[in-house]
Amino acid sequence: MQRVILFSSAFRAILTGSGGLHARYSRCSRRENVCRTQLRKHSRDQPSDNTVHFRCFSLPHRTLISVSGQDTTSFLQGIITNDMALLEEDAVCVMYAHILSVQGRTLYDIILYSLKGNPDGFNGVLLECDSTVQDSIMQLLKVYKIRRKVNFSLCPSLSLWALLPQNKAAVLGQSKPDVTAADKVLVLEQDPRTELVGWRMITSCQNNPHEIISACREGNTEEYHRHRYEIGIKPLVLLLRIILTS
């Protein structure tokens, strides 16, 4: 018992001594607290950058077909799986659909863009499809035409881009690209299939996306394909081939 008391007294002496462990520990603790407080204050003082940075991907594997004329709406209504009346609404400018065969079977998946009220002289609808089936779709449209007042033509002068925010949270937040040259944009709409695929932009082939979208850098198209496959967006053309050959 006496040894324990002596040890406790000695330990107290060390802690309370002017040059003891307690004094050093207290000074160290106070110093650390000051440092931590300064760091937290510094982080609050830093300006926040709310600019959403986008990656732009060229989509040469997709083709744009212009469908115009007095009977455009009624003509497309009879050969696709979606309701063309939706594109007549002011708030809807883009729509996903499938083209049907004469027997009513799904053939190709497409994206339709309404060009109502466009100041550049375009009218009607732009039909986006896979480049490998553009000739088949053009032929099918001609077969369905039958005395309808509607015209079809490929649009080689137009360029299609996919825009993806670099931050995933920005994708889910539906952040819209910051356009610096609106007169160079024919279409800028969120992909109708899922918000995870970002935005679709159609412009002239002569325009560079860096001149249109601020905080934008061009990405490799293969990177876009990997992202698309990871979230389960696969080409319907490929799926049909797998079904037919299996």
Side-chain angles (χ1 to χ4, degrees), residues 208-221:
N208 190 309
H210 298 281
E211 303 171 352
I212 302 174
I213 306 296
S214 64
C216 169
R217 70 173 180 84
E218 189 170 346
N220 191 307
T221 305

Side-chain angles (χ1 to χ4, degrees), residues 36-49:
R36 282 197 295 269
T37 302
Q38 290 175 346
L39 286 175
R40 287 197 296 270
K41 182 178 179 181
H42 178 72
S43 63
R44 286 198 301 268
D45 292 341
Q46 291 299 314
S48 58
D49 184 8

Side-chain angles (χ1 to χ4, degrees), residues 65-82:
I65 300 174
S66 172
V67 184
S68 61
Q70 182 178 339
D71 297 333
T72 296
T73 299
S74 59
F75 170 74
L76 291 175
Q77 181 68 40
I79 65 174
I80 67 172
T81 57
N82 213 330

Side-chain angles (χ1 to χ4, degrees), residues 160-191:
L160 179 66
W161 296 83
L163 309 180
L164 282 175
Q166 292 185 250
N167 185 356
K168 184 178 180 181
V171 177
L172 297 176
Q174 302 182 5
S175 299
K176 188 171 183 178
D178 182 18
V179 178
T180 57
D183 58 320
K184 296 182 179 180
V185 178
L186 182 60
V187 171
L188 180 58
E189 297 292 338
Q190 194 167 28
D191 196 302

Side-chain angles (χ1 to χ4, degrees), residues 48-113:
S48 58
D49 184 8
N50 295 323
T51 303
V52 179
H53 297 265
F54 280 83
R55 291 170 293 162
C56 304
F57 303 94
S58 177
L59 304 179
H61 64 289
R62 303 290 286 180
T63 293
L64 293 168
I65 300 174
S66 172
V67 184
S68 61
Q70 182 178 339
D71 297 333
T72 296
T73 299
S74 59
F75 170 74
L76 291 175
Q77 181 68 40
I79 65 174
I80 67 172
T81 57
N82 213 330
D83 187 2
M84 283 297 297
L86 295 175
L87 287 183
E88 299 296 326
E89 300 177 5
D90 293 337
V92 181
C93 294
V94 60
M95 185 171 66
Y96 179 70
H98 292 173
I99 291 183
L100 302 174
S101 67
V102 177
Q103 294 79 20
R105 297 177 180 175
T106 293
L107 290 177
Y108 316 110
D109 64 330
I110 60 173
I111 297 178
L112 295 172
Y113 304 94

Side-chain angles (χ1 to χ4, degrees), residues 193-213:
R193 295 169 293 181
T194 170
E195 61 185 8
L196 295 177
V197 201
W199 294 75
R200 278 299 209 259
M201 182 176 70
I202 301 176
T203 182
S204 171
C205 289
Q206 300 175 352
N207 295 330
N208 190 309
H210 298 281
E211 303 171 352
I212 302 174
I213 306 296

